[in-house]
Amino acid sequence: MFYDTHAHLDYPDYAGDFAEVIVRARAAGISKMISIGTSLDSSERAIRLAEKFPAIYAAVGWHPSDAMKAPSDLRPALREMCKHPKVVAIGEIGLDYHRLPSQKPEFTAADDVRYKQKQADLFHQQLEVALEVKLNCVIHQRDAFDDTLAQFKPFASSIQGVFHCFGENADRMRRVLEIGSLVSFTGIVTFKNGQNVRDTVAATPLDKFMLETDCPYLAPVPYRGKRCEPAYVKEISETVARVKNCSLEELSAATCKTAQEFFPKLNG
Ligand SMILES: [Zn+2]
Ligand SMILES: [Zn+2]
């Protein structure tokens, strides 16, 4: 038995066969799934799925890549959604500098500054709500590790973050654990070119990480390049157990316990 702690089940990729995706997940032993919000609409859709399917829970938040589309004050709507019994976290939130506006000819460095400021403002608002409602956070960062860690740090004595889709080295993993937060690993651990992530998995204590698909992205081997779905946590868990040199039972017990503690409302 495993959980998929990070899935985008509200995406149109699943519109055609949603019920079968959930049946396949349950058949593969994936007993709980968290559908992660990337905007207010997406968060709302995640909540609707959680209401309809007992195995699905929701996280609500606004993704940094879509920061420019966010309202100036996200907090009131977010606070409301957090009251829902199946909303287990705020997320995904954070900073993403992977594609900056100035990579396109019509934008300049000043646009990059504005974009980063908007991301930071949005991240801060959502951390404030997390603190208020006492929910942990699912943190997304890409090419922005130092800034994300620095912005999260002042909140780290009160709330935990899970740095999801963790692809950084062991040293950075330790910096996350040092502030009381966690990491989670995706299908990248199964990729031929994923040795750096496997090295980080090997160095991460068994009780300090969770498993996720980040589906529909990042399908593990042998499904690489195809649409990903929660059932594939099975393939991810097999690789992680091998890297950790532990049994699937030990990995299941450790990662499910970590998830239940990190997302207390998963038990409700
Ligand atoms: Zn993400
Ligand atoms: Zn995601």
Side-chain angles (χ1 to χ4, degrees), residues 6 8 36 38 63 92 140 164 212 214 217:
H6 191 118
H8 294 284
I36 306 286
T38 54
H63 194 287
E92 57 186 298
H140 169 104
H164 103 93
E212 57 162 310
D214 203 11
Y217 313 114

Side-chain angles (χ1 to χ4, degrees), residues 99-260:
R99 284 199 185 85
L100 294 174
S102 65
Q103 288 169 8
K104 291 183 184 159
E106 64 268 37
F107 295 107
T108 66
D111 294 300
D112 291 354
V113 171
R114 265 194 296 277
Y115 180 56
K116 287 183 176 180
Q117 274 169 355
K118 178 75 182 178
Q119 286 196 0
D121 174 50
L122 201 61
F123 188 22
H124 191 84
Q125 285 185 23
Q126 298 184 93
L127 289 171
E128 272 179 33
V129 175
L131 202 61
E132 262 175 61
V133 302
K134 297 187 176 63
L135 282 179
N136 288 328
C137 296
V138 178
I139 295 184
H140 169 104
Q141 71 80 21
R142 195 167 180 196
D143 300 340
F145 181 79
D146 287 327
D147 284 2
T148 306
L149 198 67
Q151 207 182 327
F152 183 70
K153 230 174 187 168
F155 296 86
S157 57
S158 313
I159 47 175
Q160 282 181 292
V162 55
F163 283 63
H164 103 93
C165 193
F166 201 74
E168 307 289 339
N169 62 26
D171 190 52
R172 287 184 162 185
M173 174 273 293
R174 286 184 202 105
R175 288 168 62 197
V176 170
L177 301 196
E178 255 167 35
I179 61 164
S181 285
L182 303 173
V183 295
S184 67
F185 298 108
T186 62
I188 295 174
V189 297
T190 69
F191 293 0
K192 208 170 176 182
N193 60 359
Q195 190 55 48
N196 60 327
V197 182
R198 285 189 288 280
D199 292 344
T200 303
V201 171
T204 308
L206 199 55
D207 62 344
K208 297 294 179 193
F209 67 88
M210 298 186 277
L211 303 179
E212 57 162 310
T213 57
D214 203 11
C215 64
Y217 313 114
L218 302 171
V221 173
Y223 308 105
R224 193 169 178 188
K226 303 214 171 75
R227 183 190 72 173
C228 187
E229 58 179 67
Y232 301 167
V233 168
K234 188 167 184 286
E235 281 70 22
I236 297 169
S237 69
E238 284 161 4
T239 299
V240 170
R242 189 156 35 77
V243 171
K244 294 304 293 174
N245 201 15
C246 70
S247 68
L248 281 172
E249 289 73 22
E250 286 169 298
L251 184 67
S252 161
T255 55
C256 291
K257 181 168 185 273
T258 301
Q260 272 160 7

